[in-house]
Amino acid sequence: MPTTKYVAHRGFSMRAPENTTAAFELAGRSGFWGIECDTYCTTDGHWIVHHDRTVDRMTNGSGKAKDHTFEEIRNLQIVAGHGIEAYSGLKIPTLEEVLYICKSYNMHAFIEIEEYHRDTDLNRLVRLVDECGMRGQSSFICFNADDLRKVRAIDNEVPLGFLSAKPPSPEDIELAKRLMPMFLDYDYKVMTPDAVRACREAGIEVSLWTINQREESLRFLDAGVDYITTDTLLTEE
């Protein structure tokens, strides 16, 4: 039976604005095994950490995240999120900033690939992990299987995770086996304990998102789920 590892969803996003350095620092201080973050590449090739396709909800700006230059992104202010009143001067962080926080707290990084402009951007993304000293403590996750195949062609060792909001399928298992090391990362609402057990019996690790209630997590813990992504501290309840 594996020991389930807890991953802070966009940092400790129930207590600090999501995907900010404050949220990732708080996750580290709170003892999370890892964090999940969402990444976009700017028009001039910088990888930033932000969830939405646009910057409208979280910042004082507007427009698609990937269609800004890095300078434009850095001029924006974070103006929303849990606990925003306790934080001033927050900006959209670079992936490097987030990885250095992970390194300082010995946390693993689940790096979700959102949008980018060209395949060379993916090469830069993979190199960043090495440059930040986070090889062995980072995984790339994505809903797009083709992007995961591209990352595997760049690096044959970095762990990958296939995100899905659909129940597990034989095709998921086959994809994971072809791209090993790789885990399957599901919306917990489409999963059952038996489905977790079936994936693990096939030799595939399983991650679930986003579980915020202790009672919801227990049945999956008993099934041997490997990772749980959460907005809060499930172990406190």
Side-chain angles (χ1 to χ4, degrees):
M1 185 71 68
T3 299
T4 301
K5 300 175 176 68
Y6 292 90
V7 179
H9 183 228
R10 308 178 197 172
F12 202 161
S13 55
M14 195 73 83
R15 298 189 184 176
E18 65 181 56
N19 275 325
T20 62
T21 54
F24 297 119
E25 288 274 3
L26 188 55
R29 294 198 300 271
S30 300
F32 278 93
W33 171 83
I35 60 92
E36 180 269 349
C37 65
D38 308 274
T39 59
Y40 291 83
C41 193
T42 64
T43 57
D44 47 353
H46 292 266
W47 282 90
I48 59 169
V49 173
H50 180 75
H51 176 264
D52 297 0
R53 290 290 190 262
T54 74
V55 299
D56 299 44
R57 178 176 64 93
M58 291 296 295
T59 80
N60 60 346
S62 64
K64 290 185 177 180
K66 77 178 183 67
D67 289 344
H68 288 75
T69 65
F70 181 61
E71 182 179 5
E72 289 168 343
I73 286 290
R74 291 302 261 185
N75 283 332
L76 300 177
Q77 297 289 324
I78 300 291
V79 296
H82 286 287
I84 186 63
E85 64 279 355
Y87 301 95
S88 61
L90 289 177
K91 296 180 179 294
I92 294 176
T94 64
L95 179 57
E96 294 97 318
E97 288 171 330
V98 174
L99 291 178
Y100 285 131
I101 291 171
C102 290
K103 187 175 177 63
S104 68
Y105 288 99
N106 197 32
M107 291 190 295
H108 194 96
F110 280 4
I111 303 165
E112 182 171 347
I113 301 168
E114 295 284 1
E115 294 186 328
Y116 58 96
H117 297 273
R118 56 197 71 84
D119 286 352
T120 52
D121 294 333
L122 279 183
N123 281 274
R124 174 62 180 154
L125 177 63
V126 175
R127 289 200 308 271
L128 276 177
V129 168
D130 280 336
E131 292 171 4
C132 293
M134 283 290 289
R135 188 175 184 84
Q137 285 181 256
S138 297
S139 302
F140 292 107
I141 63 176
C142 193
F143 284 95
N144 186 330
D146 285 339
D147 281 342
L148 294 175
R149 293 185 184 97
K150 290 177 182 179
V151 173
R152 177 57 72 232
I154 296 167
D155 188 311
N156 61 9
E157 295 180 354
V158 66
L160 304 176
F162 177 59
L163 290 161
S164 179
K166 299 177 181 179
S169 67
E171 291 77 16
D172 294 350
I173 298 291
E174 181 60 28
L175 176 70
K177 288 183 175 180
R178 286 201 308 269
L179 298 184
M180 281 292 194
M182 183 171 177
F183 56 94
L184 296 174
D185 200 344
Y186 294 104
D187 182 344
Y188 84 96
K189 295 183 184 71
V190 305
M191 289 295 283
T192 64
D194 284 345
V196 171
R197 292 187 186 97
C199 290
R200 298 200 74 257
E201 287 170 3
I204 309 297
E205 289 187 333
V206 179
S207 180
L208 299 177
W209 49 273
T210 303
I211 303 179
N212 289 332
Q213 300 297 325
R214 176 69 175 170
E215 60 269 24
E216 290 283 1
S217 70
L218 293 179
R219 59 198 181 106
F220 294 113
L221 294 176
D222 290 341
V225 68
D226 297 275
Y227 313 100
I228 288 178
T229 299
T230 179
D231 295 316
T232 188
L233 279 175
L234 292 173
T235 54
E236 279 189 347
E237 299 183 16

